[in-house]
Amino acid sequence: MVKHLPDELWLDIFEMAVEDSDFFEPVLPTTFSESTWFKNLLGVWTLRVPQETINNAQRRSMFTKKAIMNTCRTWRRLGYEFYYRSIFCSNPWNIQRLCGLMDRNSELGQRTRRLHLHPYSSTRPWPALEVIQHSLVSIIRHCPKLEIFIVNWPLSVSFSTVANTLCTSVPHSLRVLQLNIPTHALAKLIYMLQCLPNLQTAQIEFDGSPPEQMRLGAAGDLELTLSSLEKLSLRGPFQDFIDQAIAWHLPSLKLLSLDFINYREDFPDLVEFLTEHGSELTFLDLNCIPPLDVPTILDLCPMLTTFTFNPDWRIPDWENHPFLEMFIVHQPHPNITTIGLNHLMYAFGVGYAATYNQVDPFVTHSIQRMNDVNFAAINKRNFPRLQRIRVLNTTLLSDLEKNNGPSQRCYERWERWSKQCQREGVRLEDCTGATLGTLPEDPEDEEEDDDGSSLTDVPPGSQHLTTLRELLLECRKMNAQRELDVPSPALQMIYASGSRSS
């Protein structure tokens, strides 16, 4: 069967089977990338965050590619085109093996467009950091067409070497960059960004407490021009980065995500940053604990369609506003269609908040009061084009699932918010994209239609892809059986001599 089909047809079939076309888009997960429910081995419902979903999709794709490569010689020859164009590695030992393969065959790296290194927990000891660094640098040098480079474990002492290699080996092809670097490596990061003119998406996580005095040297005087940068995501103590980027030229910036985690001190001047770079933003995600001046921020970003903030904030001067439900804006924002809500841990009396309420009920009541005030201000009067509000906190949704909904004391708040959204014609969602309050159900509890099939929606084309995977598996089995049925050359000689003697 393999010999009867042209290579072009097999390549089209493999293209559909490996399902990796989305991996080459210059995007990374955002707070609005939907989480999914799944049951773990203990039978407990658990939320899978978007990054885990992407990692699982990459693993499935790699399994399919391995099946193609191991089926027969023809498929192996054709499969090289797919196997090495997107590399996902969660085992540090495999970095060395991959380096050895590319050292022996330099053509393999010519196909690589995406390199994603993701850590996993293992009882096996990791190789020395210097060994991983040497192998990683060698792999980058073998991949001159690399477009997407993602490393999800911290690059401590190795960041400088990796940055130098990216700047010298793939400065013009690299479009997506995701790194975890120490805070004191800011100067090196600035130099690296200067050498990547075609970078479109950058997601940087800063690790460790920032030094009391950041020493940037000549990097502190650079005014970068990142003409192609459209999406910038920062996480951790990135205050010094923001202060430096105020003077940069970022004409294409459309998406900005800032996650301060638990840092509350030495905040950068976000208003000044948005004064310089906010006019063309369409997506702004602000995740921090200290309150910000939301009305001023919205004025500086007139093109926003998506905005997230922390409804626990006590927005300045809200008590003195003559119209309480309008304090969140100076004037109605004309373009925002989607608002995301971070935190909200105290709103529904579940999880940690339920325990803390017994310790300090006054604090809990104060935060819930601000939740109500801020939510009431998210209306069509302030946001005429508003279509949906999404609660983004995955921990909150997990606590709601464990408690089977909000506590009895907070159920009235749940209903009041839902009724407000119904009156406004706005969809109230959770982090999975479902209506807030839609908790997962076991398959046996779901309704079934007349033919006994589940009412759960099936993604378009999934049945065809399942059939294709089954076909690939059957082809692999057939080829394996064929190899068993064909005698080896030695056995053929024995059979031949036996037939002649008879």
Side-chain angles (χ1 to χ4, degrees):
M1 180 180 66
V2 174
K3 296 181 179 179
H4 294 164
L5 293 179
D7 290 353
E8 292 77 10
L9 182 54
W10 280 122
L11 290 175
D12 287 341
I13 293 174
F14 295 159
E15 184 73 46
M16 291 186 291
V18 298
E19 299 182 271
D20 66 352
S21 58
D22 292 342
F23 302 153
F24 304 108
E25 296 296 325
V27 295
L28 292 171
T30 68
T31 52
F32 272 85
S33 299
E34 295 175 354
S35 303
T36 55
W37 288 107
F38 76 101
K39 262 194 174 182
N40 60 22
L41 297 177
L42 300 177
V44 178
W45 285 108
T46 308
L47 273 175
R48 178 179 284 134
V49 298
Q51 185 61 64
E52 293 176 350
T53 302
I54 294 174
N55 294 344
N56 288 334
Q58 292 184 98
R59 291 188 182 96
R60 288 195 302 269
S61 179
M62 290 299 294
F63 291 153
T64 303
K65 293 173 183 178
K66 289 180 180 179
I68 292 172
M69 295 282 287
N70 294 330
T71 297
C72 63
R73 292 180 180 178
T74 301
W75 284 21
R76 187 175 185 84
R77 172 175 57 83
L78 299 175
Y80 274 110
E81 183 67 27
F82 303 94
Y83 194 80
Y84 288 95
R85 70 182 184 182
S86 175
I87 297 175
F88 176 76
C89 182
S90 59
N91 186 338
W93 295 95
N94 288 338
I95 299 176
Q96 296 173 277
R97 299 188 184 100
L98 178 61
C99 178
L101 288 172
M102 289 188 172
D103 286 342
R104 290 191 295 272
N105 185 353
S106 59
E107 293 184 0
L108 300 179
Q110 297 289 331
R111 300 180 172 91
T112 305
R113 295 167 54 195
R114 177 186 175 108
L115 178 59
H116 186 168
L117 308 180
H118 184 79
Y120 81 124
S121 57
S122 173
T123 55
R124 294 185 60 188
W126 280 40
L129 185 60
E130 293 78 6
V131 176
I132 298 179
Q133 172 182 305
H134 175 77
S135 300
L136 179 57
V137 166
S138 180
I139 291 172
I140 296 172
R141 289 172 178 166
H142 284 304
C143 304
K145 299 178 183 178
L146 188 66
E147 300 176 9
I148 301 174
F149 182 71
I150 301 174
V151 180
N152 292 130
W153 66 63
L155 291 174
S156 51
V157 298
S158 59
F159 172 63
S160 180
T161 305
V162 170
N164 289 336
T165 308
L166 291 173
C167 292
T168 55
S169 300
V170 291
H172 297 288
S173 65
L174 198 65
R175 296 187 299 157
V176 178
L177 179 68
Q178 181 178 342
L179 296 175
N180 183 316
I181 67 172
T183 54
H184 59 77
L186 177 58
K188 190 63 185 180
L189 175 64
I190 294 175
Y191 286 127
M192 181 182 69
L193 293 176
Q194 185 184 33
C195 298
L196 302 175
N198 296 323
L199 193 65
Q200 298 178 24
T201 301
Q203 182 170 313
I204 311 297
E205 180 169 354
F206 292 85
D207 188 31
S209 301
E212 294 184 2
Q213 184 176 2
M214 182 68 69
R215 300 182 182 276
L216 298 178
D221 298 325
L222 293 177
E223 295 184 7
L224 302 188
T225 298
L226 303 176
S227 301
S228 301
L229 188 65
E230 299 178 2
K231 306 175 183 67
L232 176 63
S233 299
L234 304 174
R235 191 169 190 268
F238 51 80
Q239 297 91 324
D240 293 293
F241 181 96
I242 289 292
D243 289 338
Q244 291 297 312
I246 291 174
W248 297 353
H249 188 49
L250 308 173
S252 302
L253 190 63
K254 297 292 189 297
L255 181 151
L256 179 64
S257 178
L258 304 178
D259 184 357
F260 289 84
I261 315 179
N262 293 323
Y263 290 95
R264 308 187 184 198
E265 300 178 354
D266 299 327
F267 254 54
D269 193 340
L270 291 180
V271 170
E272 184 178 357
F273 179 88
L274 293 173
T275 301
E276 298 296 329
H277 306 299
S279 60
E280 299 299 322
L281 287 179
T282 59
F283 184 107
L284 178 59
D285 175 22
L286 300 176
N287 190 358
C288 61
I289 296 175
L292 300 176
D293 188 353
V294 173
T296 301
I297 288 174
L298 294 178
D299 286 344
L300 295 173
C301 306
M303 302 302 292
L304 281 183
T305 59
T306 301
F307 174 64
T308 81
F309 73 106
N310 180 1
D312 295 351
W313 287 345
R314 192 179 186 88
I315 297 176
D317 295 330
W318 72 273
E319 306 98 326
N320 302 324
H321 200 283
F323 304 102
L324 185 58
E325 293 184 359
M326 294 186 62
F327 73 91
I328 203 170
V329 295
H330 290 146
Q331 56 191 356
H333 196 287
N335 293 312
I336 288 181
T337 61
T338 302
I339 289 182
L341 305 179
N342 298 308
H343 295 269
L344 275 181
M345 288 297 295
Y346 295 87
F348 302 118
V350 294
Y352 162 81
T355 304
Y356 191 80
N357 181 56
Q358 300 175 359
V359 178
D360 195 341
F362 176 77
V363 171
T364 300
H365 177 75
S366 298
I367 295 177
Q368 290 175 344
R369 166 62 175 159
M370 291 314 307
N371 294 159
D372 288 331
V373 170
N374 286 325
F375 196 92
I378 306 174
N379 54 54
K380 287 288 185 73
R381 182 187 303 173
N382 297 330
F383 307 99
R385 298 183 61 186
L386 186 64
Q387 298 176 7
R388 63 172 174 166
I389 302 172
R390 177 173 291 186
V391 177
L392 301 172
N393 194 328
T394 56
T395 303
L396 173 61
L397 186 57
S398 296
D399 291 339
L400 285 170
E401 192 278 328
K402 294 175 183 177
N403 196 63
N404 197 30
S407 67
Q408 185 175 2
R409 183 177 55 85
C410 297
Y411 192 79
E412 183 273 336
R413 176 173 297 105
W414 180 293
E415 288 188 321
R416 176 159 32 88
W417 289 8
S418 297
K419 290 179 180 178
Q420 173 185 327
C421 289
Q422 291 174 4
R423 289 194 307 269
E424 298 278 343
V426 175
R427 178 178 169 87
L428 180 59
E429 300 177 346
D430 61 30
C431 58
T432 69
T435 303
L436 184 65
T438 305
L439 299 178
E441 297 180 358
D442 293 327
E444 57 268 20
D445 296 333
E446 297 179 359
E447 294 185 14
E448 296 186 349
D449 53 21
D450 294 337
D451 61 0
S453 60
S454 174
L455 295 177
T456 304
D457 292 336
V458 179
S462 61
Q463 293 180 344
H464 299 290
L465 291 173
T466 301
T467 303
L468 182 56
R469 292 194 190 96
E470 293 175 354
L471 175 61
L472 289 170
L473 182 59
E474 290 300 321
C475 289
R476 183 179 178 186
K477 291 179 179 179
M478 291 170 59
N479 282 280
Q481 184 62 42
R482 186 181 297 113
E483 293 176 359
L484 292 175
D485 293 340
V486 176
S488 65
L491 289 177
Q492 290 179 1
M493 292 176 62
I494 295 175
Y495 294 154
S497 60
S499 61
R500 285 194 297 268
S501 61
S502 60

